[in-house]
């Protein structure tokens, strides 16, 4: 939205960040002029574009306050203070998931830094085979190969991701949006299945104590012949396992940064 003023009485994002080499944040400043917003690069130049719209970021953070569960969403499981809902996608026969919960003893800014740091993720996520940001045809995309248990083939993803830090009536909210980028040319590997239908939303906000309130919306179509029981097991055990790993990763992140 080059040079366009955006009218909004509630939605005042102070900065927007994109992933760069080794997932360093590149901060963009948003100047508020008479209650209207204009997006600026840190150098003062107007940002060329966003890959996700303002409406997508706004819809994401609002689910922290008002979960959107109409239209067939069902409670799938509840564990460790986390509720997981799922919705059957008729076209694929697969489920889309929404997760509502919190990360104790992990501040929101720290959670966001850890989540966005690709280089660090390779240190704490045992499922990472390869994870790197690629410059392709003048743009950037993330390549991620995920380890699958034998005898299943590994999957890989080529996707784009953006993070915005929003100021909503004084509340600081981190919104991370990601989706597969099948239009980006990148060769597939022999023996690895490319996931071409993937999306993820992650929203984080301080919970008023020392933890982080989290909302996640997730869908991917891994392809191949994966048994339903394995998909259900991964959904039920994967999220609690991921939250446990995130807590450890947050605790160890300051030391990791010192050693870099």
């Amino acid at each position: 939205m080059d040079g366009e003023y955006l009218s909004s009485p509630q939605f005042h994002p102070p900065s927007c960040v994109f992933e760069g080499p080794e997932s360093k944040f590149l901060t963009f400043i948003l100047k508020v002029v008479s209650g209207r917003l204009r997006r600026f690069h840190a150098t003062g130049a107007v940002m060329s574009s966003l890959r996700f719209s303002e409406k997508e970021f706004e819809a994401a953070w609002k689910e922290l306050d008002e979960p959107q569960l109409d239209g067939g969403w069902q409670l799938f499981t509840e564990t460790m203070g986390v509720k997981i809902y799922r919705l059957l996608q008729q076209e694929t026969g697969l489920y889309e998931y929404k997760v509502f919960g919190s990360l104790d003893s992990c501040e929101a800014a720290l959670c966001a830094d850890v989540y966005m740091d690709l280089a660090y993720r390779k240190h704490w996520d045992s499922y990472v085979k390869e994870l790197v940001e690629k410059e392709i045809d003048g743009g950037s995309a993330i390549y991620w190969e995920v380890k699958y248990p034998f005898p299943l083939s590994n999957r890989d993803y080529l996707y784009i991701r953006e993070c915005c830090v929003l100021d909503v009536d004084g509340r600081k909210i981190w919104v991370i949006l990601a989706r597969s980028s099948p239009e980006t040319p990148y060769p597939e590997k022999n023996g690895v299945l490319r996931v071409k239908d993937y999306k993820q939303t992650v929203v984080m906000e301080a919970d008023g104590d020392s933890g982080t309130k989290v909302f996640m919306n997730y869908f991917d179509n891994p392809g191949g012949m994966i048994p339903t029981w394995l998909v259900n097991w991964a959904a039920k055990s994967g999220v609690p396992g991921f939250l446990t790993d995130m807590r450890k990763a947050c605790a160890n992140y300051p030391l990791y940064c010192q050693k870099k």
Side-chain angles (χ1 to χ4, degrees):
M1 300 181 185
D2 289 278
E4 181 181 355
Y5 286 94
L6 304 173
S7 176
S8 175
Q10 282 186 311
F11 184 58
H12 304 298
S15 63
C16 191
V17 293
F18 290 79
E19 290 180 303
E22 298 183 357
S23 192
K24 297 296 184 184
F25 279 6
L26 303 179
T27 303
F28 296 88
I29 299 172
L30 289 170
K31 295 186 177 180
V32 180
V33 182
S34 299
R36 292 170 177 265
L37 303 180
R38 192 170 186 178
R39 195 177 298 274
F40 285 86
H41 188 277
T43 61
V46 179
M47 285 174 56
S48 60
S49 67
L50 282 175
R51 291 172 171 177
F52 299 89
S53 70
E54 295 283 356
K55 288 184 179 180
E56 288 177 285
F57 283 105
E58 187 171 6
W61 73 257
K62 284 186 173 180
E63 289 233 35
L64 277 177
D65 298 336
E66 300 177 1
Q68 302 298 305
L69 299 172
D70 293 335
W73 288 94
Q74 296 180 336
L75 181 63
F76 178 47
T77 188
E78 183 173 0
T79 180
M80 296 175 61
V82 174
K83 291 184 178 181
I84 305 175
Y85 294 84
R86 69 180 184 180
L87 176 68
L88 180 63
Q89 299 288 349
Q90 298 294 339
E91 320 84 68
T92 62
L94 300 172
Y95 286 96
E96 179 179 351
Y97 295 92
K98 287 186 177 182
V99 180
F100 300 88
S102 62
L103 277 168
D104 299 330
S105 304
C106 186
E107 296 181 351
L110 177 59
C111 281
D113 285 349
V114 168
Y115 190 84
M116 291 291 288
D117 195 326
L118 299 181
Y120 182 49
R121 182 137 190 172
K122 290 184 282 189
H123 288 262
W124 63 267
D125 189 339
S126 61
Y127 292 99
V128 173
K129 174 71 173 180
E130 183 180 355
L131 178 57
V132 64
E133 186 173 19
K134 301 280 188 178
E135 294 295 327
I136 304 170
D137 287 351
S140 63
I142 298 169
Y143 175 80
W144 191 337
E145 182 180 345
V146 178
K147 298 175 186 176
Y148 267 55
F150 180 83
L152 301 175
S153 299
N154 285 357
R155 265 60 174 178
D156 65 4
Y157 298 73
L158 191 67
Y159 67 100
I160 57 174
R161 182 171 74 165
E162 291 174 1
C163 172
C164 275
V165 185
L166 312 180
D167 182 345
V168 182
D169 291 340
R171 297 163 59 190
K172 193 172 185 179
I173 303 175
W174 286 258
V175 180
I176 303 165
L177 302 180
R179 64 168 172 82
S180 53
S181 183
E183 68 277 9
T184 302
Y186 193 74
E188 298 186 20
K189 294 182 178 180
N190 289 333
V192 178
L193 295 182
R194 175 67 50 85
V195 175
K196 298 179 180 179
D197 188 5
Y198 159 77
K199 68 174 183 179
Q200 187 174 43
T201 296
V202 179
V203 184
M204 303 178 186
E205 180 185 22
D207 65 1
D209 195 359
S210 59
T212 300
K213 186 178 179 181
V214 179
F215 160 65
M216 182 184 297
N217 183 199
Y218 179 85
F219 175 80
D220 81 28
N221 183 351
M225 300 297 292
I226 301 180
T228 301
W229 67 264
L230 181 57
V231 174
N232 290 337
W233 172 84
K236 284 186 175 180
S237 63
V239 171
F242 171 75
L243 293 177
T244 298
D245 290 344
M246 271 289 291
R247 289 187 183 96
K248 293 179 181 178
C250 287
N252 295 329
Y253 193 56
L255 181 60
Y256 166 81
C257 292
Q258 290 177 7
K259 290 182 176 180
K260 285 199 300 183

